[in-house]
Amino acid sequence: MAYFWWITLLVGVALQVLVLAALMRGGGKRFRVLYVYMIVLFLTTAVEAAALYNANLFRQASRYYWTIDAVRQFLIFLVVLSFIRQALEKSTRRAVLAGLLWGGAAVFGLVSLMLTRDPVMG
């Protein structure tokens, strides 16, 4: 099982480096949110991989695991919203659709926070 984890880790990190390299060659200006997400993902992947093989680091990192996970999930959400916004750039109803998009995102975020604070819901 350890071999499988190492293979997936190496493939994942290699793909992250390739995407980061492409973004640094100029795509980072157009896809800023994706660029920030990829940097955070690469750094947190490195910390989690190091923590898996160091008991002291594992104890320290495990305290922050869910916080890091929440930050990554939030950034994924922002990446999707930014892609949708870019897709709407040529639309004549862009302002209305953008307002609906961000309003829906805010409602979704608030409902998610309310449900995750409920001990029964998780």
Side-chain angles (χ1 to χ4, degrees):
M1 190 64 169
Y3 292 116
F4 177 73
W5 192 90
W6 271 104
I7 290 169
T8 57
L9 173 69
L10 293 174
V11 169
V13 169
L15 291 172
Q16 290 173 15
V17 168
L18 289 173
V19 172
L20 278 169
L23 289 169
M24 286 196 292
R25 282 192 301 257
K29 291 179 184 175
R30 183 169 180 217
F31 302 108
R32 289 184 187 136
V33 179
L34 178 62
Y35 191 43
V36 169
Y37 170 71
M38 289 305 300
I39 291 169
V40 169
L41 180 64
F42 180 76
L43 293 174
T44 57
T45 299
V47 169
E48 288 175 354
L52 191 62
Y53 292 100
N54 183 327
N56 291 329
L57 187 58
F58 182 81
R59 281 190 290 278
Q60 291 174 344
S62 65
R63 287 186 233 153
Y64 303 108
Y65 177 81
W66 293 112
T67 303
I68 291 169
D69 187 58
V71 168
R72 286 196 301 208
Q73 292 295 326
F74 178 72
L75 287 172
I76 289 172
F77 192 61
L78 287 181
V79 167
V80 171
L81 290 176
S82 71
F83 284 164
I84 293 171
R85 186 190 60 79
Q86 285 181 356
L88 293 174
E89 282 183 354
K90 297 189 192 248
S91 175
T92 56
R93 299 178 298 170
R94 180 175 178 234
V96 173
L97 293 172
L100 289 172
L101 176 69
W102 288 104
V107 167
F108 179 80
L110 291 173
V111 169
S112 294
L113 285 174
M114 288 181 352
L115 291 177
T116 55
R117 288 196 167 271
D118 185 6
V120 175
M121 296 297 285

